[in-house]
């Protein structure tokens, strides 16, 4: 049975400390991570900030950022592919040596929260012990198995959860629909495009955590 750990990590022990300090209030959501090199990782991220110009300028001077490519943008969010190096050694070790998979991560100037799935409890335990021996200052929120009912958040951010609940309560998922995407966007005081992107990502997270991560995707 797979094992899951959720923990908080200071920015100085992960990535983008200089950027997040320079542009406070920035929120970053990691959509997925590729780790095919022992010294760097390639995350695909969504960013919300009041000043994208300052954010992108800070990235250029951030020692943990090797490269960055912007993919898409709305009035409120932009998506990027980045290559991180430097202080991400701990995460690279988790992903490569201990076969962990990051299924959720979000960060800001107050630190990072990560959710990592391991093949079994033994792999998680070895990664945890190695991190402690190396002196990494992370705070464990919870550890559970994929059959444990505790992961009620299903890897959703607060914003994603609120959006899904609002959509459900407004009748967006009923047949026929009782509200449109445009009406829901007006209720949420956001743009049509931003809401559409958030609903798709939230739905993807929910499917991953309930049907994929929990192994419930077999034919009945």
């Amino acid at each position: 049975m797979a094992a899951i750990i959720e923990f908080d990590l200071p920015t100085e022990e992960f990535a983008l400390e200089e950027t997040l300090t320079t542009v406070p209030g920035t929120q970053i959501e990691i959509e997925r991570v590729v780790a095919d090199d022992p010294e760097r990782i390639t995350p695909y991220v969504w960013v919300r900030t009041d000043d994208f110009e300052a954010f992108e300028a800070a990235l250029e001077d951030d020692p943990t950022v090797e490269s960055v490519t912007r993919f898409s943008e709305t009035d409120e969010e932009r998506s990027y592919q980045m290559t991180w190096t430097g202080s991400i050694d701990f995460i690279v070790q988790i992903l490569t040596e201990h076969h962990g998979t990051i299924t959720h991560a979000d960060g800001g100037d107050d630190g990072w929260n990560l959710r990592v799935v391991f093949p079994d409890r033994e792999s998680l335990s070895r990664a945890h012990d190695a991190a402690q021996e190396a002196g990494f200052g992370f705070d464990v929120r919870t550890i559970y198995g994929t059959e444990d009912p505790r992961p009620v958040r299903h890897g959703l951010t607060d914003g994603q959860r609120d959006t899904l609940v609002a959509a459900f309560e407004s009748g967006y998922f009923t047949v026929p629909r009782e509200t449109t995407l445009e009406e829901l966007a007006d209720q949420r005081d956001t743009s049509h495009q931003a809401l559409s992107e958030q609903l798709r990502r939230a739905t993807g997270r929910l499917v991953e955590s309930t049907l994929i991560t929990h192994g419930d995707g077999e034919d009945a």
Side-chain angles (χ1 to χ4, degrees):
M1 180 178 67
I4 302 168
I5 183 171
E6 294 183 7
F7 59 94
D8 296 325
L9 192 66
T11 53
E12 63 267 21
E13 293 188 0
F14 187 28
L16 301 186
E17 178 187 12
E18 186 167 321
T19 296
L20 293 172
T21 301
T22 302
V23 193
T26 297
Q27 292 295 314
I28 298 177
E29 177 191 345
I30 296 180
E31 188 170 62
R32 62 189 177 96
V33 176
V34 177
D36 53 9
D37 187 291
E39 296 182 353
R40 55 184 51 82
I41 59 175
T42 302
Y44 294 77
V45 307
W46 284 90
V47 178
R48 297 175 70 92
T49 184
D50 293 331
D51 192 339
F52 281 106
E53 183 176 345
F55 172 77
E56 294 183 357
L59 288 177
E60 296 180 2
D61 297 324
D62 197 308
T64 62
V65 179
E66 188 173 280
S67 63
V68 57
T69 301
R70 187 198 306 173
F71 278 159
S72 63
E73 63 181 285
T74 68
D75 291 340
E76 301 167 333
E77 292 183 303
R78 291 183 183 179
S79 66
Y80 302 87
Q81 174 191 317
M82 301 182 183
T83 299
W84 292 347
T85 187
S87 59
I88 47 81
D89 294 347
F90 165 49
I91 298 300
V92 171
Q93 185 181 43
I94 282 181
L95 299 178
T96 57
E97 296 184 19
H98 302 291
H99 310 292
T101 300
I102 296 175
T103 60
H104 168 76
D106 58 69
D109 44 13
D110 58 347
W112 289 87
N113 170 250
L114 289 87
R115 179 173 182 259
V116 182
V117 177
F118 291 88
D120 47 48
R121 287 268 181 173
E122 290 74 18
S123 298
L124 187 155
S125 180
R126 287 194 296 270
H128 182 268
D129 290 346
Q132 285 193 319
E133 290 175 4
F136 286 103
F138 63 94
D139 294 320
V140 176
R141 289 191 178 187
T142 184
I143 296 176
Y144 49 85
T146 52
E147 295 179 2
D148 193 317
R150 283 179 293 174
V152 294
R153 290 181 59 82
H154 298 298
L156 299 173
T157 65
D158 290 340
Q160 289 172 343
R161 181 185 182 282
D162 291 346
T163 297
L164 281 177
V165 170
F168 180 83
E169 292 178 343
S170 298
Y172 180 74
F173 296 112
T174 61
V175 180
R177 283 179 173 163
E178 298 175 8
T179 190
T180 65
L181 192 63
E182 291 80 3
E183 291 170 338
L184 187 59
D186 288 340
Q187 295 173 20
R188 303 289 293 168
D189 192 26
T190 187
S191 68
H192 170 279
Q193 184 177 358
L195 182 66
S196 176
E197 295 278 3
Q198 189 172 44
L199 276 174
R200 290 205 301 273
R201 296 204 304 278
T203 303
R205 293 285 186 190
L206 200 57
V207 169
E208 177 187 37
S209 64
T210 57
L211 301 182
I212 307 302
T213 302
H214 290 267
D216 295 330
E218 298 178 359
D219 293 336

